Amino acid sequence: MSAMTVVLFTVCLVLITALTIAAVAAKLARLDGATYPAACLRAAAAFGAVLTLAAAITGALAAVLP
């Protein structure tokens, strides 16, 4: 398995995870009584948080691994 394949699979996995968490955050916001725009803002914040966390973990691993 080439390195490019591993990178592409990892990127796809992170994006699918981020989209799933954003959808769950929006659904929970709607169940809590938030309006649709407020639920979309919470979903966007969750999506951004997951991508930021993934970037931070990647940066930390890149600094530690040779």
Side-chain angles (χ1 to χ4, degrees):
M1 197 179 232
S2 70
M4 186 63 156
T5 305
V6 173
V7 169
L8 287 176
F9 278 137
T10 305
V11 167
C12 288
L13 180 65
V14 167
L15 286 177
I16 289 171
T17 304
L19 287 172
T20 303
I21 290 175
V24 169
K27 182 63 178 174
L28 288 175
R30 282 297 295 158
L31 288 175
D32 195 35
T35 62
Y36 282 109
C40 287
L41 284 175
R42 289 186 192 176
F47 183 79
V50 171
L51 291 183
T52 302
L53 181 62
I57 290 171
T58 303
L61 287 176
V64 173
L65 296 176

